[in-house]
């Protein structure tokens, strides 16, 4: 079922969450051990992130460095299939621009369609760690809106190249397309107005719903939704929540994601005597956020697990 169909049929706020594929060398049981406790709350869909390749420099016997490409977290498509098979829950694979040509993207979408996967979350993705800014792959996409358009083209039966295909008419795909939204603007956007302009372009290109980046001040989310609606963006907007779990995140999260952490939360975390106390503070803050969002009519609350399902379990247990 599509994400927007789950939303339309729901009689209360839904709960969803995002997981990371396990590191190379681990197995699917790592995923199941993360999911099993959270399935108690009947999430209608689960996001599975996609992590692009990285480049490492390995010293050779002659002392020279060799550039080596490695994927640390492969398996997004396989994990989605496993989730749907084991739990009967819709899986939402992330689809990114980085590392994919247009043809590779089309092939991936065909695979997803064959598996009966109805939803994709379309993102530009991060630059490779060794690059200062995002560089589009050869014959690939530079912006998420271009990727949205390609997915929507397949929904309309438009393939990249039909010259070698026997048929003249092709079966329509039916992907529900999610995109990212940024309550405090994207890190690279010059201002919020510009960010909203490009978000609207993604919706006009075929996006069916929006999931926001994490935020710690609900007023930022409410303001973002109001601005979206004033710009004519009418699709569902799902708030994304992540609990603080370490003091280091007070600096790392704002610098990496361009977000503000309320001073009240900062002061509480800084006073914490140990990591367990920090985790408790983060959970309580997220519970407060979630209750307010739910009471305000949020259709879905989406949680970023970041390989810490026990924190999400405690939050959702208090809310749902």
């Amino acid at each position: 079922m599509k994400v927007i169909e789950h939303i339309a049929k729901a009689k209360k706020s839904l709960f969803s969450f995002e997981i990371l594929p396990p590191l190379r060398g681990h197995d699917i049981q790592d995923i199941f051990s993360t999911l099993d406790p959270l399935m108690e709350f009947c999430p209608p869909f689960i996001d599975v992130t996609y992590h692009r390749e990285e480049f490492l420099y390995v010293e050779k016997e002659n002392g020279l460095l060799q550039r080596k490409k490695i994927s640390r977290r492969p398996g997004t498509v396989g994990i989605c299939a496993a989730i749907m098979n084991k739990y009967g829950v819709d899986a939402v694979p992330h689809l990114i621009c980085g590392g994919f040509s247009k043809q590779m993207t089309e092939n991936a979408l065909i695979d997803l369609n064959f598996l009966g996967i109805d939803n994709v979350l379309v993102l530009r993705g991060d630059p490779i760690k060794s690059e200062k800014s995002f560089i589009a792959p050869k014959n690939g996409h530079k912006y998420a809106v271009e990727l949205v358009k390609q997915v929507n083209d397949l929904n309309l039966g438009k393939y990249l190249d039909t010259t070698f295909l026997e048929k003249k008419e092709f079966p329509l795909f039916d992907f529900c397309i999610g995109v990212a939204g940024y309550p405090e603007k994207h890190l690279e956007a010059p201002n919020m107005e510009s960010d909203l302009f490009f978000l609207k372009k993604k919706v006009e290109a075929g996006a069916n719903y929006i999931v926001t980046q994490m935020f710690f001040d609900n007023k930022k989310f409410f303001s973002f939704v109001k601005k979206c609606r004033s710009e004519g963006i009418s699709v569902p907007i799902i708030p994304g929540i992540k609990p603080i779990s370490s003091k280091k995140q007070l600096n790392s999260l704002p610098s990496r994601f361009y977000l503000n952490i309320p001073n009240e939360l900062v002061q509480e975390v800084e006073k914490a005597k140990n990591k367990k106390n920090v985790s408790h503070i983060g959970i309580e803050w997220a519970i407060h956020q979630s209750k307010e969002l739910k009471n305000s009519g949020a259709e879905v609350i989406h949680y970023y697990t970041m390989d810490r399902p026990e924190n999400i379990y405690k939050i959702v247990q208090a809310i749902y």
Side-chain angles (χ1 to χ4, degrees):
M1 189 184 297
K2 296 180 180 181
V3 168
I4 56 173
E5 291 174 336
H6 284 295
I7 292 172
K9 293 182 178 183
K11 296 181 180 179
K12 60 180 182 179
S13 292
L14 301 174
F15 148 67
S16 68
F17 59 94
E18 177 179 300
I19 60 171
L20 309 176
L23 288 166
R24 185 181 292 274
H26 294 245
D27 63 28
I28 194 65
Q29 292 305 319
D30 292 350
I31 293 296
F32 293 155
S33 63
T34 294
L35 296 180
D36 284 344
L38 294 172
M39 297 310 295
E40 174 185 332
F41 307 106
C42 302
F45 58 91
I46 299 167
D47 278 39
V48 183
T49 65
Y50 186 92
H51 289 247
R52 66 177 301 180
E53 76 284 357
E54 300 177 26
F55 288 103
L56 301 178
Y57 289 89
V58 181
E59 187 174 353
K60 298 169 67 176
E61 290 183 3
N62 59 10
L64 297 176
L65 294 178
Q66 179 183 14
R67 193 184 192 204
K68 184 177 181 181
K69 183 188 292 188
I70 185 172
S71 177
R72 292 184 183 274
R73 294 183 182 269
T76 296
V77 175
I79 291 168
C80 287
I83 287 172
M84 293 173 68
N85 180 63
K86 182 176 175 65
Y87 300 105
V89 171
D90 283 304
V92 184
H94 289 195
L95 193 67
I96 66 172
C97 298
F100 284 84
S101 67
K102 294 174 187 177
Q103 190 62 60
M104 290 168 64
T105 295
E106 185 172 282
N107 293 345
L109 289 166
I110 290 170
D111 284 344
L112 295 175
N113 183 57
F114 285 161
L115 287 168
I117 292 174
D118 298 323
N119 305 281
V120 289
L121 185 69
V122 172
L123 308 162
R124 187 200 69 181
D126 297 326
I128 296 175
K129 291 180 179 179
S130 58
E131 297 174 349
K132 291 183 179 180
S133 60
F134 182 84
I135 299 174
K138 185 178 181 181
N139 300 318
H141 298 299
K142 187 176 181 180
Y143 301 108
V145 66
E146 298 170 343
L147 185 50
V148 170
K149 187 177 185 305
Q150 182 177 0
V151 179
N152 195 53
D153 279 348
L154 275 179
N155 281 349
L156 300 173
K158 299 178 183 177
Y159 287 76
L160 291 172
D161 185 359
T162 61
T163 56
F164 66 96
L165 301 180
E166 295 178 0
K167 294 182 178 181
K168 292 185 178 180
E169 294 184 4
F170 307 100
L172 308 183
F173 285 37
D174 196 23
F175 288 112
C176 177
I177 305 170
V179 294
Y182 301 87
E184 299 172 73
K185 91 170 185 64
H186 189 276
L187 177 66
E188 298 171 19
N191 53 57
M192 178 58 82
E193 289 72 24
S194 173
D195 208 24
L196 288 172
F197 174 82
F198 288 108
L199 178 58
K200 186 175 182 180
K201 289 293 183 185
K202 290 191 284 189
V203 173
E204 291 171 344
N208 303 108
Y209 69 98
I210 297 165
V211 181
T212 77
Q213 181 177 266
M214 71 184 80
F215 57 90
F216 296 92
D217 183 349
N218 284 354
K219 290 191 287 294
K220 301 288 186 181
F221 174 74
F222 297 138
S223 175
F224 173 70
V225 172
K226 186 176 180 180
K227 289 174 181 176
C228 285
R229 301 310 183 211
S230 69
E231 292 293 326
I233 299 171
S234 59
V235 299
I237 301 175
I238 299 173
I241 299 295
K242 180 196 179 314
I244 289 279
S245 58
S246 70
K247 289 187 177 184
K248 183 173 69 174
Q249 290 176 340
L250 294 179
N251 300 113
S252 63
L253 292 178
S255 63
R256 184 178 177 189
F257 296 103
Y258 193 85
L259 53 81
N260 289 285
I261 301 178
N263 194 47
E264 180 184 351
L265 177 56
V266 172
Q267 290 179 340
E268 288 296 312
V269 170
E270 287 181 337
K271 287 189 297 184
K273 295 181 179 179
N274 53 51
K275 195 168 184 178
K276 184 177 180 179
N277 291 149
V278 173
S279 181
H280 176 74
I281 292 165
I283 289 168
E284 289 300 313
W285 188 273
I287 288 172
H288 173 75
Q289 276 191 276
S290 300
K291 286 181 177 179
E292 186 177 29
L293 290 166
K294 189 177 179 183
N295 291 337
S296 73
E299 296 164 312
V300 185
I301 303 177
H302 186 72
Y303 295 90
Y304 298 104
T305 65
M306 303 300 287
D307 282 343
R308 296 187 66 86
E310 64 279 2
N311 286 5
I312 304 304
Y313 181 91
K314 292 175 183 178
I315 296 164
V316 178
Q317 186 179 45
I319 303 301
Y320 291 86

